[in-house]
Amino acid sequence: MFNCFLVQTSFVPDEYWQSLEVAHYMVFNYGYLTWEWTEKLRGYTYPLIFASIYKILHLLGKDNVQLLIWVPRLAQALLSAVADVKLYSLMKQLENRELARWVFFCQLCSWFTWYCCTRTLTNTMETVLTTIALFYYPLEGSKSMNSVKYSSLLALAFIIRPTVVIPWIPLLARHFWQERKKFDLILHQFLLVGFVTLGFSLVIDRIFIGQWTLVQFNFLQFNVLQNLGAFYGSHPWHWYFSQGFPVVVGTHLPFFIHGCFLAPKRYRVLLVTILWTVLVYSMMSHKEFRFIYPVLPFCMVFCGYSLNHLKIWKKPAVSFLLLSNMLLALYIGLVHQRGTLDVMSHVQELCNKSHNKSSASVFVIMPCHSTPYYSHVHCPLPMRFLQCPPDLTGKTHYLDEADEFYLNPLNWLYKEFHNNSSLPTHLIIFSTLEKEISAFLISRSYEKTAVVFHTHLPEGRTGSHIYIYERKLRGKNNG
C-alpha cells in the first residue's frame, strides 16, 4: 500500500487503456476501446477483475474518481505482496531463513519491481502469477510442489497474457523430462487444466465480444507471427543485452553476476529461463523494458546468494543497493512523467463545472494514448485524442492520424477545424508544440489556463510541461 501511493507517475499507456479503460466501459457503458479490442486481440479476463471492483463500488454508491483509480491499484499491490511472500517462502524451503531474507531484501529494494508491481499492467499480473506458480513448481528440494496448482496459475497467466509461455518453456521442458509418468502429467494435469481455463476464457470473451473468439491465438499471431508490433517502434537485436536487462536489473547487476557463479546446480534452470527469455524477446522487433519483468524475481534468487555469501563487504553492499534503488524509485515514482496523470484532475474538474455553463469538450493533442481517459474522469465529457492504429490493410505508405498531425501541426489544425463550431473548448498539449501552433491558438481565441509539470527529461514529441488552453469568447462575455 505504501508502494502504491508512492508511485504517482505514468509508465506505459497499457496500464490504463488495456485494463481500467476497458473495465470502465464494461461497467458504465462509456469509455474507449482501442483497436486491439475491436480486432479481438485482447481478452476480457484481466479487465473483468477491475470491472468487478468498479461494479461493487458502483453498487455501494462509492464510484468516485479517486476510488476508481486507486482501488484497482491497491488490489494489484495486494497480489504483488502475495507473490513476494511466496518467493520468500520458496527460498526458505529450498535453503534457509537467512538466504530467504536476502532474496526477499533484493526483491523489495529493486527499483523496477517498485515501479511496476502496483501498476494495472498485464505484465505485472504475468509476473505475479509466474512467481506464485514457481512456488508450486517441482524444483529440486521444494516441499510445496503441486503440478495442478502451478499449471493452473500458468494457464490463468496465459489467458491474461499469452507471452507468459516464453519464460515457462525451459521450466516445462525440465519438468516433462524429469517426470516418470509423462503420459499422466500431460493428459490428467496439463491438458485438463488447459481445457478448463481456456473454456473459462472463451465463455468470458463470448459474453463481452458477442461471438466465440480465441483471443490468445489472435494475440500471438499479430505480435509474433506477423510481427506487426514493430509498428510501435523497433530496436536492434542486442537491445535487451546492452540496455533492457541492465536497466531492469539496475544496480543489482554485479550481485546477479556474482550469484550466478555461487548458486547450486539446481538453480541452473532459472538461469537458463532468464537467458532464454531475453534471447527470445531479442528476436522480436518491438522491445520494451516491461516485457522481461516476469524473470526479474528469478534474478533476485542469484542476487540473494551473492549478498548471503559476502562477509566483509556485506554492509556497504546493502547500503549501496538500498540507497541507489530508493533514490531512483522515488524519483521515477513521484517526479518523472507525472504530468499526464496530473492533467486528468484538471479535466475531471470540467465535469463539475460543465453542469453550470455551456458543455465543455477536450482535445488531447499529444502522442496517442499519452494520458488515461474516461477511467480517470468518470463522466461522459466529449473527449478526443490523436489516433494511431497500425495499418491492417497492407498499405505501403501508411500514416496514422498522429503521424499526419506531426508532419505539419498548424496546417492539420486549420484543415480539421475550418469551422469554428466544431472547435473543442479545451486543448491539452505538450510545451514543445506551443510555438508551432501558436498562430492557430491566437486566431481561435485560446488562452493558456494551466501549466502542469511532466518531466525533467523530455524527448521527441514529449515536453517538459503540459499546457491546457481554453477557448475564451470575449464577445459573448461582454455581451
Side-chain angles (χ1 to χ4, degrees):
M1 288 169 71
F2 183 64
N3 186 167
C4 190
F5 293 111
L6 282 179
V7 176
Q8 299 172 20
T9 53
S10 61
F11 178 24
V12 286
D14 278 18
E15 62 185 298
Y16 318 110
W17 292 86
Q18 307 296 356
S19 53
L20 302 185
E21 191 63 25
V22 182
H24 193 279
Y25 181 84
M26 289 161 79
V27 176
F28 302 107
N29 296 318
Y30 69 94
Y32 190 94
L33 295 183
T34 58
W35 67 272
E36 290 104 322
W37 298 89
T38 53
E39 293 293 324
K40 305 176 188 68
L41 255 68
R42 301 272 183 171
Y44 283 86
T45 308
Y46 185 58
L48 186 61
I49 299 166
F50 305 118
S52 306
I53 293 168
Y54 283 0
K55 191 68 182 174
I56 292 164
L57 289 172
H58 179 59
L59 292 170
L60 294 172
K62 300 287 182 187
D63 56 325
N64 65 64
V65 180
Q66 290 306 312
L67 288 179
L68 292 182
I69 294 168
W70 290 105
V71 175
R73 289 279 307 273
L74 286 166
Q76 191 70 68
L78 186 68
L79 289 167
S80 293
V82 171
D84 287 348
V85 172
K86 287 291 182 188
L87 182 66
Y88 171 78
S89 304
L90 175 67
M91 294 315 296
K92 199 167 78 168
Q93 274 183 25
L94 295 172
E95 302 295 338
N96 53 59
R97 192 185 291 268
E98 184 68 16
L99 182 76
R101 280 177 177 168
W102 287 117
V103 173
F104 194 54
F105 167 78
C106 289
Q107 171 73 353
L108 291 188
C109 82
S110 160
W111 80 271
F112 197 77
T113 300
W114 176 276
Y115 191 50
C116 292
C117 73
T118 64
R119 294 186 185 275
T120 50
L121 274 168
T122 51
N123 308 88
T124 302
M125 190 60 96
E126 183 186 6
T127 306
V128 163
L129 293 171
T130 290
T131 309
I132 301 171
L134 190 68
F135 178 77
Y136 299 107
Y137 176 81
L139 266 175
E140 189 188 326
S142 175
K143 295 166 193 160
S144 55
M145 58 183 83
N146 186 314
S147 298
V148 174
K149 282 187 180 177
Y150 102 74
S151 56
S152 299
L153 289 160
L154 178 56
L156 180 60
F158 176 77
I159 285 167
I160 290 168
R161 192 171 178 86
T163 51
V164 76
V165 296
I166 295 168
W168 277 93
I169 286 171
L171 292 162
L172 290 168
R174 178 192 170 274
H175 184 190
F176 181 73
W177 180 258
Q178 292 189 334
E179 184 63 45
R180 288 177 191 168
K181 298 176 181 176
K182 290 179 171 58
F183 184 76
D184 280 1
L185 180 72
I186 297 293
L187 194 66
H188 298 137
Q189 292 183 14
F190 288 174
L191 281 178
L192 187 67
V193 165
F195 278 125
V196 170
T197 46
L198 204 58
F200 173 70
S201 165
L202 278 166
V203 170
I204 289 172
D205 292 331
R206 172 74 178 83
I207 293 166
F208 292 103
I209 295 173
Q211 64 186 80
W212 295 106
T213 314
L214 193 62
V215 291
Q216 291 78 18
F217 174 74
N218 294 347
F219 181 88
L220 287 170
Q221 186 184 33
F222 179 88
N223 287 293
V224 182
L225 304 176
Q226 296 178 329
N227 197 26
L228 288 169
F231 175 79
Y232 292 109
S234 58
H235 297 82
W237 68 269
H238 58 77
W239 186 83
Y240 280 115
F241 292 97
S242 57
Q243 290 177 56
F245 188 76
V247 167
V248 168
V249 178
T251 50
H252 286 72
L253 189 60
F255 303 98
F256 167 71
I257 295 165
H258 182 224
C260 289
F261 293 103
L262 295 171
K265 269 187 182 177
R266 62 176 160 194
Y267 295 111
R268 200 171 284 166
V269 68
L270 298 185
L271 197 57
V272 169
T273 300
I274 295 163
L275 189 63
W276 162 262
T277 305
V278 174
L279 276 169
V280 171
Y281 276 118
S282 294
M283 288 187 275
M284 296 177 197
S285 301
H286 182 58
K287 298 174 177 69
E288 290 187 43
F289 294 114
R290 62 192 172 107
F291 293 170
I292 57 169
Y293 178 33
V295 295
L296 188 58
F298 294 21
C299 299
M300 296 308 147
V301 171
F302 299 97
C303 296
Y305 258 98
S306 174
L307 284 180
N308 190 50
H309 183 77
L310 293 176
K311 296 288 180 276
I312 306 165
W313 294 98
K314 191 172 280 186
K315 274 190 178 177
V318 167
S319 304
F320 166 71
L321 270 180
L322 200 59
L323 195 66
S324 60
N325 281 277
M326 188 175 72
L327 290 172
L328 184 58
L330 288 172
Y331 178 75
I332 61 156
L334 294 170
V335 182
H336 180 59
Q337 293 183 177
R338 67 169 298 134
T340 49
L341 292 182
D342 290 344
V343 80
M344 296 314 286
S345 58
H346 290 270
V347 176
Q348 213 281 320
E349 282 172 22
L350 298 178
C351 292
N352 307 328
K353 292 176 186 174
S354 62
H355 294 305
N356 310 326
K357 43 176 154 170
S358 60
S359 190
S361 57
V362 176
F363 187 14
V364 182
I365 314 178
M366 290 176 167
C368 65
H369 310 305
S370 288
T371 65
Y373 220 46
Y374 286 105
S375 63
H376 283 54
V377 177
H378 192 46
C379 85
L381 183 76
M383 293 200 290
R384 182 186 166 185
F385 65 96
L386 294 170
Q387 308 274 343
C388 61
D391 175 34
L392 302 170
T393 56
K395 289 178 187 171
T396 45
H397 301 291
Y398 172 75
L399 283 178
D400 59 45
E401 187 181 44
D403 285 336
E404 279 183 7
F405 168 79
Y406 281 104
L407 280 175
N408 195 325
L410 196 60
N411 275 8
W412 190 94
L413 286 168
Y414 279 129
K415 195 175 165 185
E416 186 72 14
F417 300 109
H418 57 274
N419 187 346
N420 278 5
S421 62
S422 61
L423 283 167
T425 60
H426 292 77
L427 300 177
I428 299 174
I429 64 167
F430 274 123
S431 49
T432 47
L433 190 65
E434 187 183 44
K435 196 179 277 185
E436 275 191 85
I437 63 165
S438 59
F440 175 82
L441 296 170
I442 294 162
S443 66
R444 297 297 188 270
S445 308
Y446 281 103
E447 286 180 17
K448 196 189 297 180
T449 54
V451 176
V452 179
F453 170 77
H454 182 58
T455 179
H456 291 118
L457 307 162
E459 55 178 8
R461 296 170 178 175
T462 307
S464 59
H465 290 76
I466 295 168
Y467 298 153
I468 300 176
Y469 273 86
E470 186 180 347
R471 194 156 185 252
K472 306 278 190 182
L473 299 173
R474 288 187 187 80
K476 278 190 179 180
N477 295 341
N478 295 340

